[in-house]
Amino acid sequence: MRSSTILQTGLVAALPFAVQAASGSGKSTRYWDCCKPSCAWSGKASVNKPVLACDANNNPLSDPNVMSGCDGGSAYTCANNSPWAVNDQLAYGFAATKLEGGTESSWCCACYALTFTSGPVAGKTLVVQSTSTGGDLGSNHFDLNMPGGGVGLFDGCKPEFGGLPGAQYGGISSRSECDSFPAALKPGCQWRFDWFQNADNPEFTFKQVQCPSELTSRTGCKRDDDSQFPAFSR
């Protein structure tokens, strides 16, 4: 659902000696459009380096200026941006975000702990790093990256894989359909039906936290102000 070419600038509100951590209640959707993450472009935020993108064979790209596969280029979302379970109550993943009072410069590569309050995952926590943003999202909206979640507005999966099964919005409807996915995407697809219990856009409360190394090691991206946010505690 993301455009890889959205450009926004701005600063998150700050307290005298610390950056203000975002928090509140939010809504979720799901997607996997294969497009280059919007935070994979240079100059989006004060970070050590942009989010890593990959080529069609899932090899990380060193050049952040490679055009997105959704725009005729050869850069795509890396398969390891799929979610995974840490235990029955905790998982890690990635998302596109749009938060009230912020802009792309305050969201890119920031991490948030989402504690679900509805559906079969109520009480579980998913910690996500924001790798994209988009003008089509609502306020306090997290579009969760999960293979098989539907491509949404943009479809980079056709040029990368020849297409993926499922409806444009919402994606596939059964775990068995994950069997036809590329091998690198199968675990993330199955996660939706295992840990996530096929929850349909559950609501949650969220708070901004320091990014776990498990997330930044996959994207390569860490915010310059990351240490000013509270550490995540399991």
Side-chain angles (χ1 to χ4, degrees), residues 1 13 45 54 76 92 108 125-126 146 152 167 184 190 193 204 210 214 223-224 233:
M1 292 178 66
C54 287
Y76 301 94
Y92 288 142
C108 270
T125 298
L126 173 64
M146 59 180 80
Q190 293 165 342
F193 299 92
F204 52 83
Q210 289 180 25
E214 292 91 338
R223 292 184 61 87
D224 293 345
S233 179

Side-chain angles (χ1 to χ4, degrees), residues 43-112:
K44 289 301 187 77
S46 296
V47 296
N48 62 328
K49 61 180 179 180
V51 169
L52 284 171
C54 287
D55 65 19
N57 295 314
N58 208 39
N59 298 307
L61 297 170
S62 59
D63 183 2
N65 296 312
V66 177
M67 291 297 294
S68 172
C70 289
D71 298 317
S74 57
Y76 301 94
T77 296
C78 297
N80 68 2
N81 283 197
S82 299
W84 75 97
V86 177
N87 55 48
D88 186 58
Q89 294 298 310
L90 174 66
Y92 288 142
F94 304 88
T97 58
K98 185 176 183 181
L99 304 184
E100 184 176 354
T103 65
E104 193 167 42
S105 65
S106 61
W107 307 325
C108 270
C109 298
C111 288
Y112 306 89

Side-chain angles (χ1 to χ4, degrees), residues 139-180:
S139 179
N140 289 350
H141 187 162
F142 287 73
D143 206 5
L144 307 177
N145 286 23
M146 59 180 80
V151 295
L153 287 177
F154 305 96
D155 188 356
C157 300
K158 285 184 178 178
E160 185 175 15
F161 300 116
L164 293 177
Q168 179 180 1
Y169 294 98
I172 62 174
S173 57
S174 67
R175 191 182 192 278
S176 62
E177 292 176 87
C178 297
D179 294 341
S180 63

Side-chain angles (χ1 to χ4, degrees), residues 116 120-121 124 144 146 191-199 202:
F116 294 106
V121 288
K124 292 189 174 188
L144 307 177
M146 59 180 80
W191 173 92
R192 171 182 165 189
F193 299 92
D194 297 338
W195 190 94
F196 200 59
Q197 300 180 57
N198 199 25

